[in-house]
Amino acid sequence: MPDSPRSVMLFAAGFGTRMGALTAERPKPMIEVAGRPLIDHALSLVRAHRPDRIVANVHYRPDPLIRHLEGSEVIISHETPDILETGGGLRAALPHLGEGPVFTMNTDAVWSGPNPLDLLFDLWQPARMDALLLCVPRQNAIGHGGQGDFVVRGDAPARRGPGQIYTGLQILRTDVLNDIPNRAFSLNVLWDRMLTRKRLFAASYPGRWCDVGRPEGIALAEEMLGYRHV
């Protein structure tokens, strides 16, 4: 289907500041959880979905990640000299991603349950949606506090507010990126416009999801996965 997402953008350029000393010499996607770098947990899900293209952006301490991905099918989008945030980073990677809607996925989370990309793909309705965000109920969001990001309302457009946690995975139309004049910008700018037009939707993930944005998230994710250190 021409309006279905066939490319995946992995966000891997961030500074990982909340990880403290763990990211002093390496980017956050190279931190190990259950014996594997975070980037590999994301790639396992992505590869199982079998997209046409996989792109990862890099900026902070990129060399270990570039070496790790060398020889794989993953295309590297270099953000230099400045980091471009999620929206700017996605727009800079468009020559690699191709036309049409894309998946975007954060690389600092671990999942337990059905493949989230397959789930979103089956729910995507391009005639109604500019974006479809995957969220998770707070009781199934491990290592993540707060009151939630979006209210998931079944077949109705989403709205901001206390509700479910955004997992960092979505399907997004990319042509709307051209309307933003800034070079570096957050995808929140796009979401706000889509919310006004009632074109932003959200779905609920039925499994468990663990935020590994802080050091304590590593042990929580390993416990969720049933991993035991030898």
Side-chain angles (χ1 to χ4, degrees):
M1 293 182 290
D3 290 326
S4 297
R6 295 307 312 160
S7 299
V8 179
M9 173 72 180
L10 294 173
F11 289 125
F15 294 103
T17 306
R18 294 181 300 162
M19 280 293 187
L22 291 174
T23 50
E25 301 296 333
R26 59 183 168 176
K28 183 164 56 173
M30 288 303 296
I31 290 174
E32 289 197 357
V33 172
R36 304 166 64 205
L38 278 167
I39 189 75
D40 285 357
H41 287 274
L43 280 171
S44 291
L45 295 169
V46 170
R47 286 168 172 153
H49 182 70
R50 302 181 67 182
D52 293 340
R53 301 180 190 89
I54 306 171
V55 179
N57 63 347
V58 298
H59 176 79
Y60 173 74
R61 303 285 188 190
D63 292 345
L65 182 55
I66 292 171
R67 287 195 299 269
H68 182 70
L69 296 174
E70 187 176 4
S72 76
E73 79 278 34
V74 180
I75 302 165
I76 301 295
S77 177
H78 297 266
E79 290 188 19
T80 60
D82 302 314
I83 197 166
L84 300 175
E85 301 185 56
T86 49
L90 176 59
R91 185 166 61 189
L94 288 181
H96 304 300
L97 290 162
E99 297 182 355
V102 301
F103 287 97
T104 77
M105 187 178 195
N106 294 349
T107 54
D108 59 354
V110 174
W111 305 71
S112 176
N115 190 309
L117 289 91
D118 292 345
L119 189 152
L120 272 190
F121 187 89
D122 290 341
L123 295 174
W124 175 244
Q125 300 177 48
R128 304 178 63 209
M129 301 173 176
D130 287 342
L132 176 61
L133 283 57
L134 190 58
C135 298
V136 64
R138 280 175 284 172
Q139 66 269 23
N140 293 335
I142 299 168
H144 189 99
Q147 295 300 306
D149 306 299
F150 292 95
V151 178
V152 179
R153 304 193 295 170
D155 201 38
R159 62 176 175 83
R160 288 193 187 271
Q164 298 196 25
I165 307 293
Y166 174 54
T167 62
L169 176 65
Q170 66 174 330
I171 296 173
L172 181 78
R173 282 181 50 200
T174 58
D175 57 329
V176 293
L177 292 163
N178 298 321
D179 298 333
I180 308 298
N182 310 65
R183 184 168 179 265
F185 61 95
S186 167
L187 286 174
N188 273 291
V189 176
L190 288 182
W191 290 345
D192 286 341
R193 296 184 179 198
M194 295 173 184
L195 285 164
T196 300
R197 297 195 297 263
K198 301 188 183 306
R199 298 276 302 178
L200 186 141
F201 288 74
S204 183
Y205 184 63
R208 293 185 297 163
W209 169 91
C210 185
D211 181 1
V212 195
R214 299 179 184 274
E216 56 268 27
I218 298 173
L220 292 171
E222 291 178 341
E223 181 181 5
M224 181 187 76
L225 296 173
Y227 178 78
R228 297 290 182 266
H229 288 270
V230 178

